[in-house]
């Protein structure tokens, strides 16, 4: 591993372990069976992005072309419990925790359409939708944060001092932003089941120690979720704990010619299955 990545990993692990991003809650996550709407929030994973699909359709990019994402798979599972359930997918490719709050997702800025469009930020759109449909939205899923770390890498390149200075700030900002986001969602939907998810890593193919960065980031996910009675789907384990590189090559597209780190169709299905397992909705089918 390059020295700058070692510095990044150490900084992130220390920041989490010292409690700078730590939150606690004694209350258990909320269970609420599927209601009329399923609201999906997040970045390219929520959108269902795959680079090959994007290239095949460029420059038109109809949202319907991206129909094999985890939101699609999870919706099918939910409809087995509540057939009339409708999915609302606000996921925006390229979204960071900052743009989620403030607006400015790069995908829509480039003129591409979302599955369900909105004005302003994704957070404000979500809060508005929840306010317009009180008691009718459950579950709500959220995946965010990966693009924040990508922006750090783009900013720092191979400059060790940059990572040493910026990594703790970025990780702390992710935690702060997730805290703000989950607080707003929980206040807007006090009885809804909200499920976030851990992140997988493809960078370990370059060096196994990259897994430490994913684990530090995932600690931020789980600790912020705990405060707001939010469930956490374990995406990291099925992607990164199986035989490698066979598992990551099957569940993502990183081993293809495009070296796309987004999930394959099989990978998106696994994410949906992990959401189902975390939700507790199996109670409704017994």
């Amino acid at each position: 591993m390059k020295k700058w990545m070692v510095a990044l990993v150490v900084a992130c692990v220390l920041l989490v372990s010292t409690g700078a991003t730590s939150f606690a809650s004694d209350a258990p996550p909320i269970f609420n069976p599927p209601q009329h709407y399923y609201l999906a929030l997040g970045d390219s994973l929520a959108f269902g992005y795959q680079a090959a699909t994007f290239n095949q359709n460029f420059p038109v990019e109809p949202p319907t072309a991206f129909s094999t994402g985890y939101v699609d798979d999870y919706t099918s599972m939910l409809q087995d419990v509540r057939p009339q359930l409708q999915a609302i997918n606000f996921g925006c490719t390229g979204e960071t925790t900052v743009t989620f709050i403030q607006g400015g997702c790069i995908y829509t800025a480039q003129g591409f359409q979302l599955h369900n469009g909105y004005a302003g930020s994704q957070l404000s759109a979500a809060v508005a939708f929840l306010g317009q449909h009180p008691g009718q939205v459950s579950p709500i899923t959220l995946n965010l944060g990966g693009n924040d770390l990508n922006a750090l890498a783009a900013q720092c390149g191979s400059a060790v001092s940059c990572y040493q200075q910026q990594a703790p700030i970025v990780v702390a900002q992710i935690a702060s932003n997730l805290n703000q986001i989950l607080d707003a969602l929980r206040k807007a939907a006090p009885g809804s089941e909200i499920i976030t998810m851990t992140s997988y890593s493809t960078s370990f193919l370059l060096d196994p120690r990259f897994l430490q960065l994913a684990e530090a980031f995932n600690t931020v996910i789980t600790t912020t979720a705990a405060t707001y009675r939010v469930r956490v789907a374990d995406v990291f384990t099925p992607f990164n704990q199986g035989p490698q590189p066979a598992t990551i090559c099957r569940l993502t597209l990183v081993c293809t010619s495009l070296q796309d780190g987004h999930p394959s169709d099989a990978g998106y299905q696994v994410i949906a299955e992990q959401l189902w397992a975390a939700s507790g909705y199996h109670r409704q089918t017994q």
Side-chain angles (χ1 to χ4, degrees):
M1 178 185 285
K2 294 181 180 180
K3 291 182 179 179
W4 58 262
M5 182 53 69
V6 173
L8 174 60
V9 170
V10 170
C12 291
V13 171
L14 286 177
L15 184 62
V16 172
S17 63
T18 55
T21 62
S22 178
F23 304 93
S25 175
D26 294 329
I30 289 176
F31 173 76
N32 189 337
Q35 300 301 316
H36 186 74
Y37 295 103
Y38 157 37
L39 179 61
L41 307 172
D43 54 29
S44 56
L45 298 189
F47 183 79
Y49 181 89
Q50 292 174 332
T53 302
F54 182 87
N55 291 347
Q56 289 167 6
N57 289 278
F58 187 82
V60 180
E61 305 305 336
T64 52
F66 301 89
S67 60
T68 62
Y70 77 74
V71 173
D72 305 276
D73 296 330
Y74 191 45
T75 298
S76 296
M77 296 176 183
L78 296 172
Q79 288 173 340
D80 287 338
V81 176
R82 191 177 180 99
Q84 301 306 313
L85 176 140
Q86 180 180 350
I88 304 297
N89 187 349
F90 286 164
C92 190
T93 297
E95 194 83 289
T96 67
T97 60
V98 174
T99 60
F100 188 92
I101 296 169
Q102 299 179 359
C105 177
I106 188 172
Y107 195 73
T108 53
Q110 293 176 339
F112 302 124
Q113 295 182 355
L114 306 181
H115 291 285
N116 296 101
Y118 49 85
S121 73
Q122 191 172 165
L123 179 58
S124 63
V127 169
F129 184 82
L130 292 168
Q132 293 161 4
H133 303 88
Q136 300 178 59
V137 185
S138 191
I140 302 165
T141 60
L142 174 71
N143 74 275
L144 275 177
N147 288 320
D148 298 65
L149 295 180
N150 291 340
L152 174 65
Q155 174 188 352
C156 290
S158 59
V160 177
S161 60
C162 178
Y163 280 96
Q164 290 174 330
Q165 295 171 5
Q166 297 300 319
I169 297 172
V170 169
V171 174
Q173 189 62 58
I174 291 173
S176 177
N177 290 344
L178 288 176
N179 189 44
Q180 179 179 344
I181 290 164
L182 293 177
D183 181 54
L185 293 176
R186 179 51 77 208
K187 287 177 178 176
S192 297
E193 182 156 36
I194 304 176
I195 313 170
T196 187
M197 64 188 73
T198 58
S199 179
Y200 62 86
S201 170
T202 60
S203 299
F204 78 95
L205 292 172
L206 301 177
D207 190 298
R209 288 170 289 184
F210 274 82
L211 290 175
Q212 298 175 49
L213 177 57
E215 290 167 351
F217 172 67
N218 289 337
T219 298
V220 171
I221 297 295
T222 56
T223 54
T224 52
T227 301
Y228 303 101
R229 305 180 67 188
V230 170
R231 295 178 184 271
V232 180
D234 179 12
V235 171
F236 177 83
T237 296
F239 278 73
N240 287 111
Q241 295 298 312
Q244 301 294 358
T247 300
I248 203 69
C249 290
R250 180 175 68 86
L251 297 182
T252 75
L253 301 170
V254 72
C255 301
T256 65
S257 59
L258 294 176
Q259 298 182 343
D260 180 14
H262 290 88
S264 61
D265 290 355
Y268 275 128
Q269 178 66 36
V270 166
I271 295 175
E273 291 169 354
Q274 294 302 99
L275 287 168
W276 178 263
S279 70
Y281 290 151
H282 62 276
R283 308 178 197 178
Q284 305 298 303
T285 59
Q286 293 176 344

